[in-house]
């Protein structure tokens, strides 16, 4: 336990301690001094807790000689989520006890393992569609059959998201990660048994298992970031976890054409090449599954942030998955974010799906370059994701960043739409890269903004609902844009997406930014509390506390 370098008066007048169940929020006065006149407007007040009436609250305020005034939004969030009683560990006053936080070195291992098996899952999603003609000839099926091998990922997500998030919230992070990695591995091995021309249904079965595994993967980035990483690195960690899936898509654009060249005149050689790709994928998936079993833990020994410390101290019996879902849909800012996230991500899915058709309309015989443009979108998006994550960790400007990225994505879509038919393929590379940078860079921004405005609800549930909205909008946009593109040309389909993205900008501007998680964490950040290395931390449960420095401006 760290001791203060210099001790001053108590935050509450001696002989007048706060009543049990109340959390006093300081006004403009420094710790240790109380004044009957608030400075710079009303900043002090207290909140009724544990069923105590507000009338009793007023009486308690009068007994302390302080006026009862409204709480600031961030203070109200802190008071609601940090109810205190005698002897509890809470942040705030000089000399008070706070939950101990620690950063574990294992967090990087957990993040790396997740990112890698998420990469393999994304690779298996795209490995068929990038060489559609090869698999058509090998299995003797239509292109629609091959398209279904990719579409099953999208269709499986929507009905399975609720049981998947329920499992994450009730059974924990480790079990969910094991299911995602295990099903991904099992699906890869089943595909290895499908390398015969009459066994298309076997490869479809394996791909269905991989699509189920995806349900246990896509919702984890924000949960892993929150549970394992500190306040100054949580957004970057989330972006890195998302990056793994994007990198898998990029690898899926590159490797299959190299590993499985079009040798339709030699069926035996083609089967050997497909087998090499399948067995190689399965071997890597198995190795990553074993690493998940060995090294992927539920949570670190000590919480990495004050926000996590508060959640971990909540009794498990108080959690209700149905209530959590209801709370999310009653949260108007989250509902608006759900719609706007679905619009921009669904638009990106639609553009990616129909990119080949759009490119070939204006640039005949440029199939290879169409694939390279798709790769450019993904790689630029990976860079955008990391930069957006770093920016959020540095500034914590979630609402502003979300709105700016959305606006830039809209302008990128407009420029892409009206330069596509200029006849210069390099222009499409540039505009496609810009579009991918902002649209894909929005993914971790949306995840982290959702966690902030829905705290203390589960990160997995909010992320899962965002992904479900993206899948639904993606299906609808792909069908609508595909019809418009076929009947009126690519420009009509792209203008359709531009209109929806403009609507998304307007809805994003209406989102109220209440950074609940950040407001809890700043209680420690303002107190200059440093994380204690896990190996040096005390093991006695009663000693899991630290002392705030005298610079703290929060008094309890």
């Amino acid at each position: 336990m760290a001791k203060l370098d210099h001790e001053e008066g108590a935050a509450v007048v001696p002989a007048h301690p706060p009543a049990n169940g109340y959390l006093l929020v300081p006004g403009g006065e420094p710790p240790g001094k109380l004044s009957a006149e608030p400075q710079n407007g009303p900043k002090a007040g207290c909140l009724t807790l544990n069923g105590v009436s507000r009338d009793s609250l007023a009486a308690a305020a009068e007994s302390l000689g302080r006026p009862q005034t409204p709480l600031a939004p961030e203070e109200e969030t802190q008071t609601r989520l940090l109810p205190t009683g005698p002897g509890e560990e809470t942040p705030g006053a000089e000399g008070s006890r706070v939950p101990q936080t620690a950063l574990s070195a294992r967090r990087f291992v957990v993040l790396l393992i997740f990112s890698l098996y998420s990469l393999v899952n994304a690779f298996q999603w795209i490995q068929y569609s990038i060489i559609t003609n090869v698999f058509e000839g090998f299995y003797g099926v239509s292109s629609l059959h091959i398209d279904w091998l990719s579409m099953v990922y999208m269709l499986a997500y929507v009905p399975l998201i609720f049981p998947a998030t329920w499992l994450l919230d009730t059974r924990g992070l480790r079990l969910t990660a094991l299911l995602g990695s295990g099903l991904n591995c099992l699906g890869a091995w089943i595909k290895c048994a499908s390398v015969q021309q009459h066994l298309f249904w076997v490869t479809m079965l394996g791909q269905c298992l991989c699509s189920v595994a995806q349900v246990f993967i896509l919702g984890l980035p924000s949960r892993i970031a929150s549970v394992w990483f500190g306040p100054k690195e949580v957004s970057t960690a989330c972006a890195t976890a998302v990056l793994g899936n994007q990198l898998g898509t990029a690898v899926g654009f590159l490797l299959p054409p190299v590993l499985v060249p079009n040798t339709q005149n030699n069926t035996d050689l083609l089967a050997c090449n497909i087998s090499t790709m399948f067995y190689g994928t399965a071997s890597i998936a198995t190795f990553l599954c074993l690493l998940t079993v060995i090294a992927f833990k539920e949570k670190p020994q000590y919480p990495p942030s004050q926000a996590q410390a508060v959640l971990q101290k909540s009794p498990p019996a108080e959690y209700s998955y149905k209530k959590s879902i209801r709370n999310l849909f009653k949260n108007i800012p989250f509902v608006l974010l759900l719609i706007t996230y679905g619009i921009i991500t669904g638009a990106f899915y639609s553009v990616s799906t129909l990119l080949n058709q759009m490119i070939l309309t204006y640039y005949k015989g440029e199939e290879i370059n169409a694939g390279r443009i798709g790769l450019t979108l993904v790689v630029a998006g990976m860079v955008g994701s990391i930069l957006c994550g770093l920016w959020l960790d540095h500034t914590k400007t979630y609402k502003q960043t979300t709105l700016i990225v959305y606006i830039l994505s809209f302008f990128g879509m407009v420029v892409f739409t009206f330069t596509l038919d200029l006849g210069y393929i390099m222009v499409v590379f540039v505009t496609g890269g810009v579009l991918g940078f902002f649209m894909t860079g929005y993914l971790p921004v949306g995840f982290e903004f959702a966690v902030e405005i829905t705290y203390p609800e589960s990160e997995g549930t909010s992320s899962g609902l965002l992904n479900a909205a993206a899948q639904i909008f993606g299906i609808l946009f792909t069908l609508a844009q595909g019809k418009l593109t076929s009947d009126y040309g690519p420009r009509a389909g792209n203008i359709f997406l531009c209109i929806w993205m403009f609507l998304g900008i307007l809805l994003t501007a209406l989102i109220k930014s209440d950074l609940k998680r950040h407001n809890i964490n700043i209680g420690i950040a303002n107190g200059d509390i440093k994380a204690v290395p896990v190996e040096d931390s005390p093991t006695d449960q009663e000693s899991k506390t630290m002392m705030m420095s005298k610079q703290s401006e929060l008094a309890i």
Side-chain angles (χ1 to χ4, degrees):
M1 180 182 298
K3 294 185 178 180
L4 299 177
D5 295 332
H6 178 70
E7 296 184 358
E8 296 181 357
V12 181
V13 175
H16 292 279
N20 183 24
Y22 290 94
L23 177 62
L24 299 181
V25 182
E29 292 292 328
K33 297 181 181 180
L34 294 177
S35 173
E37 296 181 1
Q39 297 180 0
N40 300 327
K43 291 186 179 180
C46 52
L47 185 66
T48 304
L49 299 175
N50 301 333
V52 182
S53 67
R54 291 186 178 271
D55 294 334
S56 300
L57 176 61
E62 292 176 1
S63 68
L64 291 173
R66 300 188 63 173
Q68 181 182 1
T69 53
L71 295 173
E74 65 274 8
E75 293 170 341
E76 181 179 357
T77 301
Q78 292 180 7
T79 359
R80 177 171 61 85
L81 295 177
L82 292 174
T84 63
E88 290 190 14
E89 300 172 358
T90 54
E94 181 181 346
S96 63
R97 298 176 175 231
V98 297
Q100 178 177 294
T101 60
L103 295 179
S104 171
R106 184 185 288 270
R107 69 191 188 279
F108 298 111
V109 177
V110 170
L111 182 62
L112 178 61
I113 292 174
F114 170 79
S115 298
L116 289 177
Y117 77 72
S118 177
L119 182 155
V120 175
N121 184 259
F123 172 83
Q124 295 194 81
W125 163 61
I126 204 70
Q127 68 181 161
Y128 292 99
S129 62
I130 196 63
I131 48 175
T132 299
N133 58 324
V134 174
F135 281 105
E136 281 181 41
F138 181 77
Y139 287 115
V141 296
S142 67
S143 60
L144 181 61
H145 286 80
I146 304 302
D147 290 341
W148 271 107
L149 290 171
S150 297
M151 291 174 61
V152 69
Y153 265 64
M154 191 177 298
L155 295 177
Y157 194 89
V158 177
L160 294 178
I161 181 56
F162 289 105
T165 53
W166 173 85
L167 189 72
L168 175 61
D169 293 344
T170 58
R171 296 296 182 266
L173 183 61
R174 174 175 164 81
L175 178 60
T176 306
L178 289 174
L179 281 174
S181 183
L183 288 172
N184 191 53
C185 174
L186 180 60
W189 280 109
I190 289 178
K191 287 194 232 180
C192 294
S194 69
V195 191
Q196 295 186 38
Q197 293 181 287
H198 64 286
L199 294 180
F200 175 78
W201 66 273
V202 177
T203 206
M204 175 62 80
L205 175 61
Q207 190 72 342
C208 287
L209 285 176
C210 292
S211 68
V212 175
Q214 175 213 212
V215 183
F216 297 101
I217 293 174
L218 290 186
L220 291 191
S222 58
R223 181 63 169 265
I224 291 174
S226 295
V227 171
W228 283 92
F229 288 82
K232 294 184 178 180
E233 56 189 12
V234 62
S235 297
T236 304
C238 180
T240 304
V242 173
L243 180 69
N245 200 268
Q246 298 170 357
L247 184 59
T249 304
V251 174
F253 276 116
L254 289 176
L255 283 187
V258 175
L259 296 175
V260 188
N262 190 1
T263 57
Q264 299 286 358
N265 57 339
N266 191 337
T267 305
D268 292 336
L269 178 59
L270 182 58
C272 181
N273 291 333
I274 294 175
S275 180
T276 299
M277 181 174 68
F278 283 169
Y279 273 102
T281 304
S283 299
I284 296 173
T286 302
F287 174 70
L288 294 174
C289 184
L290 292 175
L291 285 181
T292 306
V293 173
I294 295 171
F296 203 106
K297 301 299 181 183
E298 178 67 29
K299 60 183 179 180
Q301 184 178 1
Y302 299 99
S305 65
Q306 176 63 20
Q308 278 299 305
V310 172
L311 293 179
Q312 292 179 17
K313 290 178 64 177
S314 301
E318 294 182 0
Y319 175 78
S320 169
Y321 179 71
K322 292 182 179 179
K323 184 178 179 181
S324 178
I325 294 292
R326 287 197 300 267
N327 290 341
L328 289 175
F329 281 105
K330 290 179 181 178
N331 188 327
I332 301 302
F334 175 73
V335 173
L336 291 174
L337 181 62
L338 191 68
I339 297 172
T340 57
Y341 184 93
I343 290 174
I344 190 171
T345 310
F348 180 75
Y349 289 165
S350 181
V351 169
S352 300
T353 303
L354 301 174
L355 182 64
N356 183 270
Q357 182 178 344
M358 289 189 286
I359 298 299
L360 295 183
T361 299
Y362 300 114
Y363 304 93
K364 302 296 184 182
E366 293 286 356
E367 292 87 356
I368 294 179
N369 275 329
R372 290 173 178 170
I373 293 172
L375 178 62
T376 302
L377 261 73
V378 176
V379 174
M382 291 163 54
V383 177
S385 294
I386 291 296
L387 292 180
C388 286
L390 291 170
W391 174 256
L392 286 181
D393 277 332
H394 180 68
T395 65
K396 301 299 181 183
T397 54
Y398 293 89
K399 166 70 177 290
Q400 297 90 327
T401 303
T402 301
L403 186 58
I404 291 173
V405 172
Y406 219 117
I407 293 173
L408 293 175
S409 298
F410 168 74
F411 282 116
M413 188 69 203
V414 171
V415 173
F416 177 80
T417 299
F418 291 98
T419 59
L420 186 61
D421 59 348
L422 292 181
Y424 300 98
I425 192 70
M426 290 306 300
V427 173
V428 184
F429 271 94
V430 174
T431 57
V434 172
L435 184 64
F437 179 89
F438 291 112
M439 293 185 77
T440 310
Y442 179 86
L443 297 179
V445 176
F447 280 160
E448 286 297 288
F449 193 24
V451 174
E452 289 290 340
I453 63 179
T454 61
Y455 180 88
E457 303 299 338
S458 169
E459 303 92 343
T461 305
S462 61
S463 298
L465 290 175
L466 290 180
N467 282 320
Q471 306 292 348
I472 293 172
F473 276 99
I475 294 172
L476 296 177
F477 284 171
T478 301
L479 294 175
Q481 187 186 11
K483 178 65 174 176
L484 289 171
T485 300
S486 300
D487 295 348
Y488 304 103
R491 176 171 291 185
N494 287 333
I495 291 176
F496 167 79
L497 293 183
C498 290
I499 294 172
W500 276 96
M501 291 178 67
F502 182 76
L503 175 62
I505 292 175
L506 299 180
L507 294 178
T508 300
L510 298 177
I511 298 176
K512 179 182 178 182
S513 181
D514 182 11
L515 307 183
K516 300 175 182 178
R517 181 181 66 176
H518 177 61
N519 291 337
I520 297 299
N521 286 330
I522 60 175
I524 282 186
N526 288 344
D528 296 327
I529 294 295
K530 296 182 179 179
V532 178
V534 171
E535 58 272 13
D536 297 331
S537 301
T539 56
D540 187 4
Q541 184 68 22
E542 295 182 356
S543 64
K544 292 180 180 178
T545 59
M546 295 182 65
M547 302 298 291
M548 295 288 291
S549 66
K550 67 177 182 179
Q551 289 83 6
S552 174
E553 296 180 358
L554 296 176
I556 297 178

